[in-house]
Amino acid sequence: SDVCSSDLLTRDTPNVSHEFSSNLRVGTGGSEFEEGLEAARLALSSDVNAGFRRPEAALWLLFLSDEDDASARPVDTYARFFESLVQDRGPLGLYITSVSSDPLAPCPQSTAPGYRYRALSQRTGAGTLNLCTFGWDTSLQGAPPSSLGRQTTFMLSTPPLANTVRVYIDGVARPSSSGGQLNWTLDGNSIQIG
């Protein structure tokens, strides 16, 4: 079927590359001015999407465009807005990846280099990918979740009482500090998984 069976895709979704592709509307029938940064800001600040983003979750934005962003606000304004959404997570909470034409290597698939998308991506260190050499099968393998990394530190609001912490990973109780890959230690008011 060419219709995705679910709107929510995860790394465990069978044939995720095909499912993702079937969810996309491809074409050039919209506005001649692409405003991806503004669209992302509106989507993340809209009451329509309330509850879409968990406050404790990292935020990964992926901009795919064959031309530069034409949003009205300066790139720095968008950067500050996106950073404000993850301020409690620190520098590891925000990843912005752009897939656009490289200004140093223009290509026929692109109308113009994605200067603004690339500037925003470089600010978070998540990187830029060249639209002209991009392939869904391989290009995102170095992007989140691997660049997001596995979260290994979980902050608690206050230090817990001794012997009151239980850690479950994928529904399985995990022992503390006895070695192994998915064991944990308590360090003040944080739990370290490792």
Side-chain angles (χ1 to χ4, degrees), residues 107-123:
C107 68
Q109 296 96 319
S110 177
T111 306
Y115 295 107
R116 289 169 52 90
Y117 293 120
R118 296 174 79 78
L120 189 60
S121 295
Q122 290 164 350
R123 181 169 173 151

Side-chain angles (χ1 to χ4, degrees), residues 152-175:
T152 58
T153 302
F154 298 84
M155 299 303 295
L156 306 173
S157 56
T158 59
L161 299 173
N163 300 318
T164 62
V165 176
R166 305 285 180 268
V167 173
Y168 293 81
I169 300 174
D170 293 331
V172 177
R174 299 293 179 172

Side-chain angles (χ1 to χ4, degrees), residues 19 40 44 46-47 60 66 69 71 77-79 90 100 104 108 130 132 135 148 169 188:
E19 295 291 344
L44 292 168
S46 171
D47 291 339
W60 178 36
D66 66 344
D69 175 72
S71 300
T77 300
Y78 293 105
S100 60
L104 301 176
N130 189 337
C132 306
L148 279 174
I169 300 174

Side-chain angles (χ1 to χ4, degrees), residues 17 21 44-46 56 65-66 75 88 90 94 118 147 150 168:
S17 195
S21 295
L44 292 168
S45 61
S46 171
E56 73 279 4
S65 181
D66 66 344
V75 170
D88 295 340
L94 178 63
R118 296 174 79 78
S147 71
R150 176 173 58 104
Y168 293 81

Side-chain angles (χ1 to χ4, degrees), residues 40 44 59-63 82 85 94-98 120-121 126:
L44 292 168
L59 176 61
W60 178 36
L61 301 173
L62 173 69
F63 294 97
F82 298 134
L85 297 174
L94 178 63
Y95 300 87
I96 300 173
T97 302
S98 72
L120 189 60
S121 295

